[in-house]
Coordinates of all heavy atoms in Angstrom, one line a residue:
W99 N -84.2 13.3 -45.0 CA -82.9 12.9 -45.0 C -82.8 11.4 -45.1 O -83.6 10.7 -44.6 CB -82.2 13.3 -43.7 CG -82.1 14.8 -43.6 CD1 -83.1 15.6 -43.1 CD2 -81.1 15.7 -43.9 NE1 -82.7 16.9 -43.1 CE2 -81.4 17.0 -43.6 CE3 -79.8 15.5 -44.5 CZ2 -80.6 18.1 -43.8 CZ3 -79.0 16.5 -44.7 CH2 -79.4 17.8 -44.4
Y100 N -81.7 10.9 -45.7 CA -81.5 9.5 -45.9 C -80.1 9.1 -45.6 O -79.2 9.9 -45.7 CB -81.8 9.1 -47.4 CG -83.3 9.3 -47.7 CD1 -83.8 10.4 -48.2 CD2 -84.2 8.2 -47.5 CE1 -85.1 10.6 -48.5 CE2 -85.5 8.4 -47.8 CZ -86.0 9.6 -48.3 OH -87.3 9.8 -48.6
D101 N -79.9 7.9 -45.1 CA -78.5 7.4 -44.8 C -77.9 6.9 -46.1 O -78.5 6.9 -47.2 CB -78.5 6.4 -43.7 CG -79.2 5.1 -44.0 OD1 -79.5 4.9 -45.2 OD2 -79.4 4.3 -43.1
R102 N -76.7 6.4 -46.0 CA -76.0 5.9 -47.1 C -76.6 4.7 -47.8 O -76.4 4.5 -49.0 CB -74.5 5.5 -46.8 CG -73.7 6.7 -46.4 CD -72.3 6.3 -46.1 NE -71.5 7.6 -45.9 CZ -70.5 7.6 -45.1 NH1 -70.0 6.5 -44.6 NH2 -69.8 8.8 -45.0
E103 N -77.4 3.9 -47.1 CA -78.1 2.8 -47.7 C -79.4 3.2 -48.2 O -80.2 2.3 -48.6 CB -78.2 1.7 -46.6 CG -76.9 0.9 -46.3 CD -76.0 1.7 -45.3 OE1 -76.6 2.4 -44.4 OE2 -74.8 1.7 -45.5
G104 N -79.8 4.4 -48.2 CA -81.1 4.9 -48.7 C -82.2 4.8 -47.8 O -83.3 5.0 -48.2
R105 N -81.9 4.5 -46.5 CA -83.0 4.4 -45.5 C -83.3 5.8 -45.0 O -82.4 6.6 -44.7 CB -82.6 3.5 -44.4 CG -82.5 2.1 -44.7 CD -82.1 1.3 -43.6 NE -80.7 1.7 -43.1 CZ -79.7 0.9 -42.7 NH1 -79.9 -0.4 -42.6 NH2 -78.6 1.4 -42.4
R106 N -84.6 6.1 -44.9 CA -85.0 7.4 -44.4 C -84.7 7.6 -42.9 O -84.9 6.7 -42.1 CB -86.5 7.6 -44.6 CG -87.1 8.9 -44.2 CD -88.6 8.9 -44.5 NE -89.2 10.0 -43.9 CZ -89.5 10.1 -42.6 NH1 -89.3 9.1 -41.8 NH2 -90.1 11.2 -42.1
L107 N -84.1 8.7 -42.6 CA -83.8 9.0 -41.2 C -85.0 9.7 -40.6 O -85.7 10.5 -41.2 CB -82.6 10.0 -41.2 CG -81.3 9.4 -41.7 CD1 -80.2 10.4 -41.8 CD2 -80.8 8.1 -41.0
L108 N -85.2 9.4 -39.3 CA -86.3 10.0 -38.6 C -86.0 11.5 -38.2 O -84.8 11.8 -37.9 CB -86.7 9.2 -37.4 CG -87.1 7.8 -37.6 CD1 -87.3 7.1 -36.2 CD2 -88.3 7.7 -38.4
S109 N -87.0 12.3 -38.3 CA -86.8 13.7 -37.8 C -86.7 13.7 -36.3 O -87.1 12.7 -35.6 CB -88.0 14.5 -38.3 OG -89.2 14.2 -37.5
P110 N -86.2 14.8 -35.7 CA -86.2 14.9 -34.3 C -87.5 14.7 -33.6 O -87.7 14.1 -32.6 CB -85.6 16.4 -34.1 CG -84.8 16.6 -35.2 CD -85.6 15.9 -36.4
V111 N -88.6 15.2 -34.2 CA -89.9 15.0 -33.7 C -90.3 13.5 -33.7 O -90.8 13.0 -32.8 CB -91.0 15.8 -34.5 CG1 -92.4 15.5 -34.1 CG2 -90.7 17.3 -34.3
E112 N -90.0 12.8 -34.8 CA -90.3 11.4 -34.9 C -89.4 10.6 -33.9 O -89.9 9.7 -33.3 CB -90.0 10.9 -36.4 CG -91.0 11.4 -37.4 CD -90.6 11.1 -38.8 OE1 -89.4 11.3 -39.1 OE2 -91.5 10.8 -39.6
L113 N -88.2 11.0 -33.8 CA -87.3 10.3 -32.8 C -87.9 10.5 -31.4 O -87.9 9.5 -30.6 CB -85.9 10.8 -32.9 CG -85.1 10.4 -34.1 CD1 -83.7 11.2 -34.2 CD2 -84.8 8.9 -34.0
A114 N -88.3 11.7 -31.1 CA -88.9 11.9 -29.7 C -90.1 11.1 -29.5 O -90.3 10.5 -28.4 CB -89.2 13.4 -29.6
A115 N -91.0 11.0 -30.5 CA -92.2 10.2 -30.4 C -91.9 8.8 -30.2 O -92.5 8.1 -29.4 CB -93.1 10.5 -31.6
Q116 N -90.9 8.3 -31.0 CA -90.5 6.9 -30.9 C -89.9 6.6 -29.5 O -90.3 5.6 -28.9 CB -89.4 6.6 -31.9 CG -89.0 5.2 -32.0 CD -88.0 5.0 -33.1 OE1 -86.9 5.6 -33.1 NE2 -88.3 4.1 -34.1
E117 N -89.1 7.5 -28.9 CA -88.6 7.3 -27.6 C -89.7 7.4 -26.5 O -89.6 6.6 -25.6 CB -87.5 8.4 -27.3 CG -86.7 8.2 -26.0 CD -86.1 6.8 -26.0 OE1 -85.6 6.3 -27.0 OE2 -86.1 6.2 -24.9
R118 N -90.7 8.3 -26.7 CA -91.8 8.3 -25.8 C -92.5 7.0 -25.8 O -92.9 6.5 -24.7 CB -92.7 9.5 -26.1 CG -92.6 10.7 -25.4 CD -93.7 11.7 -25.5 NE -94.1 12.0 -26.9 CZ -93.5 12.8 -27.8 NH1 -92.4 13.4 -27.4 NH2 -93.9 12.9 -29.0
H119 N -92.7 6.5 -27.0 CA -93.4 5.2 -27.1 C -92.6 4.1 -26.4 O -93.2 3.3 -25.6 CB -93.6 4.9 -28.5 CG -94.3 3.6 -28.8 ND1 -95.7 3.4 -28.5 CD2 -93.9 2.4 -29.3 CE1 -96.0 2.2 -28.8 NE2 -95.0 1.5 -29.3
R120 N -91.4 4.1 -26.6 CA -90.5 3.1 -25.9 C -90.6 3.2 -24.3 O -90.7 2.2 -23.6 CB -89.1 3.2 -26.3 CG -88.8 2.6 -27.7 CD -87.3 2.6 -27.9 NE -87.1 2.3 -29.4 CZ -86.2 2.9 -30.1 NH1 -85.3 3.7 -29.6 NH2 -86.0 2.6 -31.4
A121 N -90.6 4.5 -23.9 CA -90.7 4.7 -22.4 C -92.0 4.3 -21.9 O -92.1 3.7 -20.8 CB -90.4 6.2 -22.2
E122 N -93.1 4.6 -22.7 CA -94.4 4.2 -22.2 C -94.5 2.6 -22.1 O -95.1 2.1 -21.2 CB -95.5 4.7 -23.1 CG -95.7 6.2 -23.0 CD -96.5 6.8 -24.2 OE1 -96.9 6.1 -25.1 OE2 -96.7 8.0 -24.1
Q123 N -93.9 2.0 -23.1 CA -93.9 0.5 -23.1 C -93.2 0.0 -21.9 O -93.6 -1.0 -21.2 CB -93.4 -0.1 -24.4 CG -94.2 0.0 -25.5 CD -93.6 -0.5 -26.8 OE1 -92.4 -0.4 -27.0 NE2 -94.4 -1.2 -27.6
A124 N -92.1 0.6 -21.6 CA -91.2 0.1 -20.4 C -92.0 0.4 -19.1 O -92.0 -0.5 -18.2 CB -89.9 0.9 -20.4
E125 N -92.7 1.5 -19.0 CA -93.5 1.8 -17.8 C -94.6 0.8 -17.7 O -94.9 0.4 -16.6 CB -94.1 3.2 -17.9 CG -93.0 4.3 -17.7 CD -93.5 5.7 -17.9 OE1 -94.8 5.9 -18.1 OE2 -92.8 6.7 -17.8
Q126 N -95.2 0.4 -18.8 CA -96.3 -0.5 -18.7 C -95.8 -1.9 -18.3 O -96.4 -2.6 -17.5 CB -97.0 -0.7 -20.1 CG -98.1 -1.7 -20.2 CD -99.3 -1.3 -19.4 OE1 -99.5 -0.1 -19.2 NE2 -100.0 -2.3 -18.9
Q127 N -94.6 -2.3 -18.8 CA -94.0 -3.6 -18.3 C -93.7 -3.5 -16.8 O -93.9 -4.5 -16.1 CB -92.8 -3.8 -19.1 CG -93.0 -4.3 -20.5 CD -91.7 -4.5 -21.3 OE1 -90.7 -3.9 -21.1 NE2 -91.8 -5.5 -22.2
V128 N -93.2 -2.4 -16.3 CA -92.9 -2.3 -14.9 C -94.2 -2.4 -14.1 O -94.3 -3.1 -13.1 CB -92.2 -0.9 -14.6 CG1 -92.2 -0.6 -13.1 CG2 -90.8 -1.0 -15.2
A129 N -95.3 -1.8 -14.6 CA -96.5 -1.8 -13.9 C -97.1 -3.2 -13.8 O -97.6 -3.7 -12.8 CB -97.5 -0.9 -14.5
E130 N -96.9 -4.0 -14.9 CA -97.4 -5.3 -15.0 C -96.6 -6.2 -14.0 O -97.2 -7.1 -13.4 CB -97.3 -5.9 -16.4 CG -98.4 -5.2 -17.4 CD -98.1 -5.6 -18.8 OE1 -97.3 -6.4 -19.1 OE2 -98.9 -5.1 -19.7
E131 N -95.3 -6.0 -14.0 CA -94.5 -6.8 -13.1 C -94.8 -6.5 -11.7 O -94.8 -7.4 -10.8 CB -93.0 -6.6 -13.4 CG -92.5 -7.2 -14.7 CD -92.7 -8.7 -14.7 OE1 -92.5 -9.4 -13.7 OE2 -93.1 -9.2 -15.8
Q132 N -95.1 -5.3 -11.3 CA -95.5 -4.9 -10.0 C -96.8 -5.6 -9.6 O -96.9 -6.1 -8.5 CB -95.6 -3.4 -9.8 CG -94.3 -2.7 -9.8 CD -94.4 -1.1 -9.8 OE1 -95.4 -0.6 -10.3 NE2 -93.4 -0.5 -9.3
Q133 N -97.7 -5.6 -10.5 CA -99.0 -6.3 -10.2 C -98.8 -7.8 -10.0 O -99.4 -8.3 -9.1 CB -100.0 -6.0 -11.4 CG -100.6 -4.7 -11.5 CD -101.5 -4.5 -12.6 OE1 -101.5 -5.3 -13.6 NE2 -102.3 -3.5 -12.6
R134 N -97.9 -8.4 -10.8 CA -97.6 -9.8 -10.6 C -97.0 -10.1 -9.3 O -97.4 -11.0 -8.6 CB -96.7 -10.3 -11.8 CG -97.4 -10.5 -13.1 CD -96.4 -11.2 -14.1 NE -96.9 -11.1 -15.4 CZ -96.4 -10.2 -16.3 NH1 -95.4 -9.5 -16.0 NH2 -97.0 -10.1 -17.5
A135 N -96.1 -9.2 -8.9 CA -95.4 -9.4 -7.6 C -96.4 -9.2 -6.5 O -96.4 -10.0 -5.5 CB -94.3 -8.3 -7.5
E136 N -97.2 -8.2 -6.6 CA -98.3 -8.0 -5.5 C -99.2 -9.2 -5.4 O -99.6 -9.6 -4.3 CB -99.1 -6.7 -5.8 CG -98.3 -5.4 -5.6 CD -99.0 -4.2 -6.1 OE1 -100.2 -4.3 -6.5 OE2 -98.3 -3.1 -6.1
H137 N -99.6 -9.7 -6.6 CA -100.5 -10.9 -6.6 C -99.8 -12.1 -5.9 O -100.4 -12.8 -5.1 CB -100.9 -11.2 -8.0 CG -101.8 -12.4 -8.1 ND1 -103.1 -12.3 -7.7 CD2 -101.6 -13.6 -8.6 CE1 -103.7 -13.5 -7.9 NE2 -102.8 -14.3 -8.4
A138 N -98.5 -12.3 -6.3 CA -97.8 -13.4 -5.7 C -97.6 -13.2 -4.2 O -97.8 -14.2 -3.4 CB -96.4 -13.5 -6.3
E139 N -97.4 -12.0 -3.7 CA -97.3 -11.7 -2.3 C -98.6 -12.0 -1.6 O -98.6 -12.5 -0.5 CB -96.9 -10.3 -2.1 CG -96.6 -9.9 -0.7 CD -96.0 -8.5 -0.5 OE1 -95.3 -8.0 -1.4 OE2 -96.3 -7.9 0.5
Q140 N -99.8 -11.6 -2.2 CA -101.1 -11.8 -1.6 C -101.3 -13.3 -1.5 O -101.8 -13.8 -0.5 CB -102.2 -11.2 -2.4 CG -102.2 -9.7 -2.3 CD -103.2 -9.0 -3.3 OE1 -103.7 -9.7 -4.2 NE2 -103.4 -7.8 -3.2
Q141 N -100.9 -14.1 -2.6 CA -101.1 -15.5 -2.5 C -100.3 -16.2 -1.4 O -100.8 -17.0 -0.7 CB -100.8 -16.1 -3.9 CG -101.8 -15.9 -4.9 CD -101.4 -16.6 -6.2 OE1 -100.3 -16.5 -6.7 NE2 -102.4 -17.4 -6.8
A142 N -99.1 -15.7 -1.3 CA -98.2 -16.3 -0.2 C -98.8 -15.9 1.1 O -98.7 -16.8 2.0 CB -96.8 -15.7 -0.4
T143 N -99.3 -14.8 1.4 CA -99.9 -14.4 2.6 C -101.1 -15.3 2.9 O -101.2 -15.8 4.0 CB -100.3 -12.9 2.6 OG1 -99.1 -12.1 2.4 CG2 -101.0 -12.5 3.9
Q144 N -101.9 -15.5 1.9 CA -103.1 -16.4 2.1 C -102.7 -17.8 2.4 O -103.3 -18.4 3.3 CB -104.0 -16.3 0.8 CG -104.7 -15.0 0.6 CD -105.4 -14.9 -0.7 OE1 -105.2 -15.8 -1.6 NE2 -106.2 -13.9 -0.9
E145 N -101.6 -18.3 1.8 CA -101.2 -19.6 2.1 C -100.6 -19.7 3.5 O -100.8 -20.7 4.2 CB -100.1 -20.1 1.1 CG -100.7 -20.3 -0.3 CD -101.7 -21.4 -0.3 OE1 -101.5 -22.5 0.4 OE2 -102.8 -21.3 -1.0
R146 N -99.9 -18.7 3.9 CA -99.4 -18.7 5.3 C -100.5 -18.7 6.3 O -100.4 -19.4 7.3 CB -98.4 -17.5 5.5 CG -97.0 -17.7 5.1 CD -96.1 -16.6 5.6 NE -96.5 -15.3 5.1 CZ -96.2 -14.7 4.0 NH1 -95.4 -15.4 3.1 NH2 -96.6 -13.5 3.7
Q147 N -101.5 -17.9 6.0 CA -102.7 -17.8 6.9 C -103.4 -19.1 7.0 O -103.8 -19.6 8.0 CB -103.6 -16.7 6.5 CG -103.1 -15.3 6.7 CD -103.9 -14.2 6.1 OE1 -104.8 -14.5 5.2 NE2 -103.7 -13.0 6.5
R148 N -103.5 -19.8 5.8 CA -104.2 -21.1 5.8 C -103.4 -22.1 6.6 O -103.9 -22.9 7.3 CB -104.3 -21.6 4.3 CG -105.0 -22.9 4.2 CD -105.2 -23.2 2.7 NE -105.8 -24.5 2.5 CZ -105.2 -25.7 2.4 NH1 -103.9 -25.7 2.4 NH2 -105.9 -26.8 2.3
A149 N -102.1 -22.1 6.4 CA -101.2 -23.0 7.1 C -101.3 -22.8 8.6 O -101.4 -23.7 9.4 CB -99.8 -22.9 6.7
D150 N -101.4 -21.5 9.0 CA -101.5 -21.2 10.5 C -102.9 -21.7 11.0 O -102.9 -22.2 12.1 CB -101.4 -19.7 10.7 CG -100.0 -19.1 10.5 OD1 -99.0 -19.9 10.4 OD2 -99.9 -17.9 10.3
R151 N -103.9 -21.6 10.2 CA -105.2 -22.0 10.7 C -105.2 -23.6 10.8 O -105.7 -24.1 11.8 CB -106.3 -21.6 9.7 CG -106.7 -20.2 9.8 CD -108.0 -19.8 9.0 NE -108.0 -20.2 7.6 CZ -107.5 -19.5 6.6 NH1 -107.0 -18.3 6.8 NH2 -107.6 -20.0 5.4
L152 N -104.6 -24.2 9.8 CA -104.6 -25.7 9.9 C -103.7 -26.1 11.0 O -104.1 -27.1 11.7 CB -104.1 -26.3 8.6 CG -105.0 -26.1 7.4 CD1 -104.2 -26.5 6.1 CD2 -106.2 -26.9 7.5
A153 N -102.6 -25.5 11.3 CA -101.8 -25.8 12.5 C -102.6 -25.6 13.8 O -102.5 -26.4 14.7 CB -100.5 -25.0 12.5
A154 N -103.3 -24.5 13.8 CA -104.1 -24.3 15.1 C -105.2 -25.4 15.2 O -105.4 -25.9 16.4 CB -104.8 -22.9 15.0
L155 N -105.8 -25.8 14.1 CA -106.8 -26.9 14.2 C -106.1 -28.2 14.7 O -106.7 -28.9 15.5 CB -107.4 -27.2 12.9 CG -108.4 -26.1 12.4 CD1 -108.9 -26.4 11.0 CD2 -109.7 -26.1 13.3
L156 N -104.9 -28.5 14.2 CA -104.2 -29.7 14.7 C -103.9 -29.6 16.2 O -104.1 -30.6 16.9 CB -103.0 -29.9 13.8 CG -103.2 -30.4 12.4 CD1 -101.9 -30.3 11.6 CD2 -103.8 -31.8 12.4
R157 N -103.4 -28.4 16.6 CA -103.1 -28.3 18.0 C -104.3 -28.5 18.9 O -104.2 -29.0 20.0 CB -102.4 -26.9 18.2 CG -101.0 -26.8 17.7 CD -100.3 -25.5 18.1 NE -99.1 -25.3 17.4 CZ -99.0 -24.6 16.3 NH1 -100.0 -23.9 15.8 NH2 -97.9 -24.6 15.6
A158 N -105.5 -27.9 18.4 CA -106.7 -28.1 19.1 C -107.1 -29.5 19.3 O -107.8 -29.9 20.2 CB -107.8 -27.3 18.4
Q159 N -106.6 -30.4 18.4 CA -106.9 -31.8 18.4 C -105.7 -32.6 19.2 O -105.8 -33.8 19.2 CB -107.0 -32.4 17.0 CG -108.2 -31.8 16.2 CD -109.5 -32.2 16.9 OE1 -109.7 -33.4 17.3 NE2 -110.4 -31.3 17.0
G160 N -104.8 -31.8 19.7 CA -103.8 -32.4 20.5 C -102.6 -32.9 19.7 O -101.8 -33.7 20.2
L161 N -102.5 -32.5 18.5 CA -101.4 -32.9 17.6 C -100.4 -31.7 17.4 O -100.8 -30.6 17.3 CB -101.9 -33.3 16.2 CG -102.9 -34.5 16.3 CD1 -103.6 -34.7 14.9 CD2 -102.2 -35.8 16.7
D162 N -99.2 -32.1 17.3 CA -98.1 -31.1 17.1 C -97.9 -31.1 15.6 O -97.3 -32.0 15.1 CB -96.9 -31.3 17.9 CG -95.8 -30.3 17.7 OD1 -96.0 -29.4 16.9 OD2 -94.7 -30.4 18.3
P163 N -98.2 -30.0 14.9 CA -98.1 -30.0 13.4 C -96.5 -30.0 13.0 O -96.2 -30.5 11.9 CB -98.7 -28.7 13.0 CG -98.8 -27.8 14.2 CD -98.9 -28.8 15.3
D164 N -95.7 -29.7 13.9 CA -94.3 -29.7 13.6 C -93.7 -31.1 13.6 O -92.6 -31.4 13.1 CB -93.5 -28.8 14.5 CG -93.9 -27.3 14.3 OD1 -94.2 -26.9 13.1 OD2 -93.8 -26.6 15.3
Q165 N -94.4 -32.0 14.3 CA -94.0 -33.4 14.5 C -94.6 -34.3 13.4 O -94.2 -35.5 13.3 CB -94.3 -33.9 15.9 CG -93.6 -33.1 17.0 CD -92.1 -33.2 16.9 OE1 -91.5 -34.3 16.7 NE2 -91.5 -32.1 17.1
L166 N -95.5 -33.8 12.6 CA -96.1 -34.6 11.6 C -95.2 -34.6 10.3 O -94.6 -33.6 9.9 CB -97.5 -34.1 11.2 CG -98.5 -34.0 12.3 CD1 -99.8 -33.4 11.9 CD2 -98.8 -35.4 12.8
S167 N -95.2 -35.7 9.7 CA -94.4 -35.8 8.4 C -95.0 -36.7 7.4 O -95.9 -37.5 7.6 CB -93.0 -36.2 8.7 OG -93.0 -37.5 9.4

């Protein structure tokens, strides 16, 4: 089948395959974004832990980390 401009129309099977492909791509993008978010969260946690350790070291030296600027 062809449309008025002479372009071939996809069969129902081809349309379904095309839609499956689009859905798979969307799922892949979601998975990649989730991985990025998890990585960013891990980095933030590591930075908080590092800041806490540094603050503890400063306190052990008698310095208040909140008063430093």
Side-chain angles (χ1 to χ4, degrees):
W99 298 86
Y100 294 89
D101 67 8
R102 290 184 177 153
E103 286 81 36
R105 293 178 297 218
R106 184 178 166 281
L107 299 174
L108 298 177
S109 71
V111 172
E112 291 170 320
L113 286 171
Q116 188 178 57
E117 188 55 36
R118 259 192 315 279
H119 181 69
R120 284 186 192 144
E122 289 168 358
Q123 285 180 323
E125 287 174 5
Q126 180 65 30
Q127 286 177 327
V128 168
E130 289 171 5
E131 289 301 319
Q132 287 174 333
Q133 286 178 340
R134 284 187 197 105
E136 288 171 6
H137 181 70
E139 187 175 327
Q140 288 172 351
Q141 284 183 314
T143 297
Q144 289 172 351
E145 289 299 319
R146 278 192 299 275
Q147 291 171 345
R148 181 176 180 270
D150 290 344
R151 285 192 306 272
L152 291 173
L155 287 172
L156 288 170
R157 286 188 194 98
Q159 296 297 317
L161 299 170
D162 182 357
D164 296 326
Q165 298 300 316
L166 299 174
S167 54

